[in-house]
Structures are given as C-alpha cells and as structure tokens.
Amino acid sequence: MVYFVGAGTGAADLITVRGKRLLERADVIIYAGSLVNPELLAYAKKSCVVHDSARLTLEEVIQIMRRAEGEGKTTVRLHTGDPSIYGAVREQMDALDGLGISYESCPGVSACFGAAASLNLEYTLPGVSQSLIITRMGGRTKVPERESIESFAAHRASMAVYLSAGMLGELSKRLIAGGYEEAAPAALIYKATWAEEEAYVCTVGTLADTAREHGITRTALVLVGDVITHRHYRKSRLYAADFSTAFREGRAGINPAE
C-alpha cells in the first residue's frame, strides 16, 4: 500500500495526526528532500528505509514503490504542504493504477494556510472578499491562458500566488494590469512556519523591492488583497445578536453594532 501524505507547510508539528501515524508505520518513505522539513523523518521507525526524491525521476520513484509493494511493505510518499496543490501526484497515481497498486491520500496544511496563520489573516472577510484564488505564474510548467494573473486580479479576491518568487517584477506588472493599484496590500512570506520564516507586508508595487531587500529569491509565497490590512470589513452575521440560527434564536430590537 502506498500513502501520499501531506507534510504540512514547514513546522514538523503541523503534520496531521493521521500523517504522523502513517510515518510511524511506514517501511519505506520517499520524501521531497528539497522542500520537506527533515525533522519529520524523526517520526519514522529505525528499520524504515528513507529515499530523498530530489534526485530521482518519476520512473525511479515508481520503481521504489513497486519493489516495496512486492515485498509487502507500506510506503509513504511524503509531499510538501498538501499533495493536491502543485504536488505532481496524479502522474504517480496513474502509474500505480497501471501496476495495480493501491494507494490513499492524507491531506496536509498548505503554504497559504501557514502564511495566513503567520500573519493572523482571514482570507474571507465579509464585505472585502469571500473567495481565495490559489494560482502561480507560468514557468517551466505552463499556466493555461484562461488562468492568467490578469484575469484573476480582475476579481479583487484574496490571492495566494505560489512558485513565483523569482518573477516578482513581472507578477506586479500583471497584477496591476489586471486591476490592482500599485498601493494595494500584498505580503511576501518566506518558508512559512519554518524556524527561519520571514514575513513582510508590502504593496503590489513593492513586491520585487521587498524580496531584493531581504534576499528572497525562492521558497516564498505571495499574498495579495485587501484582507491583508483587515480594514473596512463587516462583522459576520452568524454571531449577530439579531441573527437566528438552528441553535440560537435572534433577539429582535438588538442593534448589531452595539
């Protein structure tokens, strides 16, 4: 059996309880050494065989899984963040389907949620934004034209831009072309929740300057949107005194603003 496990956003104690238990059970662990916190390997038993996939091809990863399955062993494929976001897991799953090898997924905390925790953000502030767009700039992996930064920026929703720390000047231009002002709030978070985390609130127009000032060239997430400054939002109606729910009867005549 193969388990695709989300390692979480960085801190070793942000892996899920299920993910930790799977690491403890694993006979074989294949982890993304360039991205996953190696402290997570401390959860593995002494007899576990560990492979760093940073230097492996897809075919070599699958061969390790195939060999372990033939020996009746449990394999954990440990991916950074949540495997469903930029995890390149579908191609591995399809290969396992072809080999008749069973697998399951265990979710993890993605970088955008670690970054929100670092800055104490709520992405969905009433009256400001009720949507979170997760996207990236195109690089060696292309982005469909219909998913351009400009088209997403036009919505003025909260945005989390992955895998784009080396293209911040271009990202700023495209965000502005899509409808953001240069002074719109933005944030740059390097290695969210890791011990060496750095987080800087800036503007759309100063993203590249902020990165240059702090020597950030990779492993950073960009956040964009008015939720970053958390001003001019409306309070949730769910907790208003005059709002009825299945668990509480609203009280008429109560001023929600009081």
Side-chain angles (χ1 to χ4, degrees), residues 196-207:
E196 56 267 46
E197 172 192 285
E198 297 179 37
Y200 304 101
V201 173
C202 56
T203 67
V204 167
T206 60
L207 275 167

Side-chain angles (χ1 to χ4, degrees), residues 99-164:
L99 294 170
I101 297 175
S102 298
Y103 54 86
E104 290 183 8
S105 294
C106 175
V109 179
S110 190
C112 66
F113 303 115
S118 297
L119 293 174
N120 293 313
L121 295 183
E122 180 182 345
Y123 288 124
T124 53
L125 287 176
V128 179
S129 176
Q130 289 291 285
S131 302
L132 171 63
I133 296 170
I134 296 174
T135 190
R136 59 168 294 173
M137 289 275 284
R140 282 186 291 182
T141 299
K142 302 301 180 184
V143 173
E145 188 175 340
R146 65 182 179 276
E147 297 179 14
S148 69
I149 294 293
E150 292 89 338
S151 67
F152 287 144
H155 294 286
R156 296 298 297 262
S158 303
M159 290 181 67
V161 187
Y162 284 65
L163 303 168
S164 304

Side-chain angles (χ1 to χ4, degrees), residues 235-257:
K235 292 182 180 179
S236 170
R237 291 293 297 147
L238 180 61
Y239 298 106
D242 64 341
F243 188 80
S244 295
T245 72
F247 305 97
R248 188 187 72 243
E249 187 68 30
R251 288 168 284 171
I254 300 292
N255 184 348

Side-chain angles (χ1 to χ4, degrees), residues 1-4 65 69 73 75 93 96-97 99-105:
M1 185 74 166
V2 175
Y3 293 92
F4 292 92
M65 294 176 177
E69 186 70 13
K73 295 179 178 178
T75 300
M93 293 174 177
L96 293 177
D97 285 339
L99 294 170
I101 297 175
S102 298
Y103 54 86
E104 290 183 8
S105 294

Side-chain angles (χ1 to χ4, degrees), residues 50-62:
V50 178
H51 300 271
D52 182 351
S53 66
R55 299 182 183 277
L56 300 177
T57 65
L58 172 62
E59 291 73 20
E60 289 169 334
V61 168
I62 297 302

Side-chain angles (χ1 to χ4, degrees), residues 6-8 22 24 48 51 70 86 95 97-98 126 135 139 152 173 181 192-193 203 205 219 250:
L22 288 170
E24 292 168 341
C48 181
H51 300 271
Y86 306 120
D97 285 339
T135 190
F152 287 144
K173 290 178 184 177
E181 300 87 6
T193 79
T203 67
T219 326

